[in-house]
């Protein structure tokens, strides 16, 4: 991080300048919409392609139609959809003794393949030491995903501890960036504010009840509950299920 800061310390540096300007255009919210799969729901207000109901008569007809048991069953099943997210990396902090468990030349090609296979979102790891990726692969992934799908989201995954990392993700064209609650601690709110200012969505990784509450308190719009305890280095298979009650809906 010291070298990164040294390389971008000039006030005329593009990354420093990016953090100094506020995004004034309406954000596409591609990440939030992809995670919630709003594009599959024609009546969802968050769907930019939503269909408008033509008349009150149609509403009455819909009410009559939906009164059947089979309709209730269908509505209930479609109310909560699972989101398919592909985490693209060559190695992982959860398997430190294993040098590489996946071998590929270009994360962009893998991202394209994942989207074609039905993924709603791809995480591109840009930390070479921990995950075996770099920022050039994030750029490649953004380009290929954009060519493949207008709705899929690309998220930069890194151990974020410096604001420059947020600016790099924005500069590379990512839709969002992963912020880890256990890493940032009380600085999480500042990083969320920076993301909002420069027009980059954030998804906050949490593992404990306190981390989820802190993220919600900081107005995080997207939260990922991980079963992996980064502090203790232990996997708890049911952690996300236990914390599900903290979220409304």
């Amino acid at each position: 991080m010291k070298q990164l800061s040294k390389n971008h310390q000039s006030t005329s540096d593009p990354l420093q300048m990016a953090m100094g300007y506020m995004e004034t255009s309406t954000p596409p919210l591609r990440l939030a919409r992809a995670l919630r799969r709003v594009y599959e729901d024609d009546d969802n207000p968050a769907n930019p392609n939503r269909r408008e109901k033509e008349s009150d008569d149609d509403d009455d007809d819909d009410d009559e139609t939906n009164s059947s048991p089979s309709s209730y069953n269908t509505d209930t099943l479609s109310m909560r959809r699972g989101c398919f997210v592909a985490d693209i990396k060559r190695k992982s902090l959860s398997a430190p003794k294993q040098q590489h468990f996946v071998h590929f030349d270009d994360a962009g090609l893998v991202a394209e393949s994942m989207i074609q296979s039905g993924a709603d979102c791809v995480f591109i790891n840009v930390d070479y030491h921990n995950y075996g990726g770099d920022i050039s692969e994030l750029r490649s992934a953004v380009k290929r995903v954009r060519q493949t799908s207008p709705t899929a989201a690309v998220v930069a995954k890194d151990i974020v501890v410096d604001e420059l990392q947020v600016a790099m993700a924005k500069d590379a064209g990512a839709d969002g960036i992963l912020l880890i609650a256990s890493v940032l601690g009380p600085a999480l709110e500042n990083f969320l504010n920076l993301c909002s200012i420069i027009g980059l969505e954030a998804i906050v990784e949490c593992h404990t009840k306190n981390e989820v509450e802190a993220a919600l308190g900081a107005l995080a719009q997207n939260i990922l509950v991980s079963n992996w305890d980064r502090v203790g280095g232990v996997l708890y298979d049911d952690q996300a299920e236990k914390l599900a009650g903290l979220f409304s809906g």
Side-chain angles (χ1 to χ4, degrees):
M1 291 310 305
K2 291 182 179 180
Q3 186 61 42
L4 177 65
S5 299
K6 183 178 180 180
N7 293 341
H8 299 280
Q9 61 184 355
S10 173
T11 54
S12 61
D13 181 84
L15 297 185
Q16 292 287 356
M17 294 178 66
M19 291 188 291
Y21 288 90
M22 179 180 294
E23 179 68 51
T24 57
S25 60
T26 302
L29 299 179
R30 188 179 281 108
L31 174 58
R33 286 171 170 161
L35 293 175
R36 293 161 180 80
R37 304 186 77 169
V38 300
Y39 301 101
E40 295 182 0
D41 188 350
D42 292 333
D43 298 321
N44 192 320
N47 184 353
N49 301 316
R50 69 175 297 203
R51 63 184 180 190
E52 298 292 339
K53 293 185 177 180
E54 296 180 359
S55 65
D56 294 336
D57 293 337
D58 291 340
D59 292 343
D60 295 338
D61 293 340
D62 289 343
D63 291 340
E64 292 176 3
T65 302
N66 290 336
S67 63
S68 65
S70 60
S71 295
Y72 283 125
N73 205 23
T74 303
D75 291 344
T76 302
L77 289 173
S78 63
M79 191 182 302
R80 298 288 296 274
R81 302 184 180 92
C83 178
F84 177 13
V85 178
D87 188 2
I88 301 173
K89 56 188 175 184
R90 295 179 176 87
K91 55 183 181 177
S92 175
L93 289 173
S94 60
K97 296 181 180 180
Q98 193 170 356
Q99 282 297 101
H100 290 80
F101 54 80
V102 178
H103 296 274
F104 52 82
D105 293 329
D106 184 1
L109 291 172
V110 180
E112 180 182 26
S113 177
M114 290 295 98
I115 297 302
Q116 291 173 342
S117 298
D120 303 291
C121 174
V122 290
F123 280 26
I124 306 298
N125 292 266
V126 299
D127 183 335
Y128 181 79
H129 177 73
N130 292 313
Y131 300 115
D134 60 54
I135 198 69
S136 66
E137 292 191 313
L138 176 60
R139 297 180 186 278
S140 173
V142 168
K143 180 179 179 180
R144 289 187 174 276
V145 170
R146 292 287 183 273
Q147 294 172 345
T148 306
S149 168
T151 60
V154 180
V155 174
K157 182 176 179 181
D158 197 355
I159 307 298
V160 176
V161 295
D162 192 292
E163 293 179 344
L164 281 172
Q165 293 167 278
V166 177
M168 289 175 67
K170 173 69 174 180
D171 184 64
D175 299 299
I177 188 169
L178 178 72
L179 302 178
I180 303 173
S182 62
V183 172
L184 292 174
L188 175 62
E189 185 173 3
N190 292 336
F191 277 80
L192 285 170
N193 290 339
L194 173 61
C195 288
S196 297
I197 290 171
I198 67 175
L200 180 69
E201 291 183 84
I203 180 168
V204 181
E205 177 187 303
C206 303
H207 176 71
T208 67
K209 179 177 181 289
N210 288 342
E211 289 173 359
V212 171
E213 291 176 341
L216 292 173
L219 303 182
Q221 300 300 304
N222 306 300
I223 295 179
L224 179 160
V225 179
S226 175
N227 289 336
W228 177 253
D229 180 359
R230 290 183 180 272
V231 178
V234 180
L235 179 68
Y236 297 90
D237 293 333
D238 58 350
Q239 186 70 2
E241 183 179 356
K242 288 180 177 178
L243 298 182
L246 295 174
F247 304 93
S248 60

